[in-house]
Amino acid sequence: MLSLRSLFSKFFKNTTSTKKSAMINLILFGPPGSGKGTQATHLVDKYNLLHISTGDLFRSEIGNKTPLGLEAKSYIDKGELVPDSVTIGMLKKKVDENPDVKGYIFDGFPRTIPQAKALDTMLRESGQSVTLLLALQVDEEEIVTRLLNRAKTSGRSDDADENIIRNRIQVYLQNTAVVAGHYAESDKSVTVNGMGGIEEVFGRLTAEIDKTLVHQ
Ligand code: ADP
């Protein structure tokens, strides 16, 4: 027989574990050059989250000349997606290394439906889920202008060539845009106008996030 005290503590433990499922897990979504990275750095400050950018993780692997980096480079240089198995493995490793956070901002991930499903499964295994996907919308010509400008300071070769940029936009439209639809099925996807100044776009994003958090 369970004593009243153990019943209480059992209940208390359960409520504590439910609390963990209230982490804030955001997906910052949108085509290359839509401002995901810029906005993520501001959002992590406001909501105290861990920013995970698969693009940054790949560039770090490339910088360290690891086998994963060398493989990723051959795709990134052409503006193609790195294969799902490589990307998902790298992402999982980063999440596993940082379990004690208030939540995550995924930037540049998921970029395919299998990546989205892998993320959902991974979060579900620890009693969590995606809170909201925010899709930044920016005109194609604005994207090209922004990325060519970024190339002048970033040193990123995938930003320096207009053909590669246009290929990345095509890959986004063909393989990635459907991911927003996947989260729309569970009413967790919103579009946000990404045109305008950084603060203006930040205001639109936080308005959507705060609206969702109130109802969580
Ligand atoms: P951007 O959003 O400006 O394209 P990123 O830094 O997010 O920049 O990505 C750069 C490149 O890294 C992509 O073009 C792609 O080749 C690769 N990459 C990043 N994230 C992923 C991912 N989730 N799946 C596959 N490839 C990825």
Side-chain angles (χ1 to χ4, degrees), residues 7-208:
L7 257 179
F8 259 127
S9 74
K10 216 169 166 245
F11 176 72
F12 189 69
K13 264 191 205 129
N14 281 342
T15 47
T16 337
S17 68
T18 329
K19 218 171 164 197
K20 189 155 167 61
S21 69
M23 282 171 85
I24 307 172
N25 298 307
L26 304 174
I27 298 174
L28 212 44
F29 196 74
S34 54
K36 302 184 295 288
T38 306
Q39 294 297 336
T41 54
H42 294 290
L43 290 171
V44 288
D45 286 345
K46 181 168 164 75
Y47 297 100
N48 196 15
L49 305 172
L50 179 73
H51 177 201
I52 302 184
S53 154
T54 40
D56 286 349
L57 292 176
F58 283 133
R59 283 183 286 278
S60 155
E61 298 279 343
I62 293 169
N64 292 327
K65 297 195 167 63
T66 65
L68 190 154
L70 288 179
E71 182 179 0
K73 189 175 181 340
S74 63
Y75 295 94
I76 293 174
D77 284 350
K78 289 182 280 188
E80 303 290 339
L81 293 183
V82 179
D84 284 338
S85 56
V86 178
T87 307
I88 292 167
M90 180 183 71
L91 187 279
K92 275 189 175 157
K93 184 166 167 275
K94 183 75 181 172
V95 169
D96 287 347
E97 283 167 1
N98 296 277
D100 296 321
V101 292
K102 269 190 75 184
Y104 304 95
I105 294 192
F106 298 103
D107 159 8
F109 184 95
R111 261 173 152 103
T112 62
I113 294 290
Q115 289 182 18
K117 290 188 171 163
L119 177 64
D120 294 345
T121 306
M122 187 180 64
L123 291 176
R124 200 182 311 122
E125 279 166 358
S126 51
Q128 300 171 50
S129 61
V130 166
T131 310
L132 187 65
L133 175 149
L134 299 131
L136 288 167
Q137 294 198 313
V138 176
D139 299 343
E140 179 160 341
E141 292 319 304
E142 168 76 10
I143 290 173
V144 176
T145 309
R146 284 186 188 182
L147 293 184
L148 288 173
N149 255 326
R150 183 168 78 180
K152 292 177 195 159
T153 52
S154 71
R156 280 179 57 172
S157 53
D158 59 340
D159 283 347
D161 180 326
E162 189 170 334
N163 290 326
I164 295 176
I165 293 175
R166 298 224 183 252
N167 189 37
R168 284 158 63 197
I169 297 171
Q170 279 314 306
V171 169
Y172 173 79
L173 294 173
Q174 276 164 22
N175 304 33
T176 303
V178 285
V179 170
H182 171 78
Y183 289 101
E185 283 171 16
S186 48
D187 221 9
K188 288 184 169 176
S189 177
V190 289
T191 57
V192 174
N193 181 0
M195 301 287 285
I198 293 174
E199 295 212 345
E200 204 180 349
V201 177
F202 182 69
R204 292 178 196 137
L205 289 169
T206 54
E208 291 294 346

